């Protein structure tokens, strides 16, 4: 005899439930391994491409920005006093602290650019030579003047 379940309105035949359970146990559930494997592979590949692009885009752009900033700082130092004609160079007025800080900033920025990109090493070397001349206050140093000329030429090409 069949009875109707009052709550669902369906037949409450116990044989009906058993046959549906047997049907489910005979067919294997669909595998999700392929879906999970595809998701993991996509994540790894996407992360790798993004990391590669991010790493390559920042290296040379930062070096160029540092080199340009070094040239700008060197330019803001202004004209250095010419002590080659002074009979008493010890009485030559020193540079203001602002100009000295700009000179040191130019040296550090050019060194940072050279550390990232070796193409900026000549700029760093010449600005370092200028900074040594400025710090020693020997503005008539021929080597320092040559470094200043070379640094300005390199800055003109950047």
């Amino acid at each position: 005899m069949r009875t109707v379940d009052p709550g669902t309105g369906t037949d409450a035949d116990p044989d009906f439930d058993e046959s549906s359970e047997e049907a489910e146990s005979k067919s294997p559930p669909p595998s999700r391994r392929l879906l999970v494997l595809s998701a993991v592979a996509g994540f790894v590949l996407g992360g790798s491409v993004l990391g590669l692009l991010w790493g390559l885009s920042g290296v040379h752009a930062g070096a160029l920005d540092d080199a340009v900033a070094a040239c700008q700082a060197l330019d803001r130092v202004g004209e250095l006093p010419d002590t080659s004609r002074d009979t008493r160079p010890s009485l030559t007025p020193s540079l203001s602290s602002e100009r000295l800080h700009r000179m040191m900033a130019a040296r550090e920025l050019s060194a940072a650019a050279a550390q990232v990109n070796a193409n900026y090493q000549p700029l760093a070397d010449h600005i370092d030579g200028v900074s040594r001349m400025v710090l020693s206050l020997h503005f008539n140093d021929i080597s320092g003047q040559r470094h200043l000329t070379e640094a300005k030429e390199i800055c003109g090409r950047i």
Side-chain angles (χ1 to χ4, degrees), residues 74 80 82 84 121-134 138-155 157:
L74 181 64
L80 298 176
D82 184 10
S84 60
Q121 189 61 49
L123 176 66
D125 293 340
H126 291 301
I127 290 181
D128 183 55
V130 174
S131 71
R132 284 185 275 124
M133 176 184 72
V134 168
H138 290 114
F139 300 108
N140 58 351
D141 181 25
I142 294 171
S143 175
Q145 291 295 329
R146 182 183 55 82
H147 284 300
L148 180 61
T149 304
E150 291 291 326
K152 286 183 177 183
E153 284 180 16
I154 293 172
C155 286
R157 291 189 304 249

Side-chain angles (χ1 to χ4, degrees), residues 3-158:
T3 59
V4 176
D5 186 11
T8 62
T10 60
D11 290 338
D13 187 12
D15 293 337
F16 181 75
D17 290 336
E18 290 176 17
S19 64
S20 65
E21 287 177 13
E22 289 175 12
E24 287 179 14
S25 66
K26 290 180 183 176
S27 65
S31 176
R32 295 187 184 204
R33 288 183 187 168
L34 183 60
L35 180 64
V36 171
L37 184 63
S38 298
V40 169
F43 179 75
V44 169
L45 183 64
S48 300
V49 169
L50 184 63
L52 181 66
L53 291 175
W54 177 61
L56 291 176
S57 68
V59 170
H60 297 294
L64 176 62
D65 292 341
D66 287 345
V68 168
C71 290
Q72 290 171 345
L74 181 64
D75 190 45
R76 287 193 312 255
V77 169
E79 291 297 319
L80 298 176
D82 184 10
T83 59
S84 60
R85 295 183 194 106
D86 290 348
T87 57
R88 295 158 80 187
S90 61
L91 299 178
T92 303
S94 63
L95 296 178
S96 67
S97 64
E98 298 151 0
R99 291 173 74 186
L100 290 174
H101 286 292
R102 287 185 183 125
M103 186 70 242
M104 294 303 101
R107 186 181 88 193
E108 292 301 318
L109 285 165
S110 65
Q115 188 174 13
V116 173
N117 188 342
N119 292 334
Y120 297 112
Q121 189 61 49
L123 176 66
D125 293 340
H126 291 301
I127 290 181
D128 183 55
V130 174
S131 71
R132 284 185 275 124
M133 176 184 72
V134 168
L135 287 176
S136 68
L137 298 177
H138 290 114
F139 300 108
N140 58 351
D141 181 25
I142 294 171
S143 175
Q145 291 295 329
R146 182 183 55 82
H147 284 300
L148 180 61
T149 304
E150 291 291 326
K152 286 183 177 183
E153 284 180 16
I154 293 172
C155 286
R157 291 189 304 249
I158 293 179

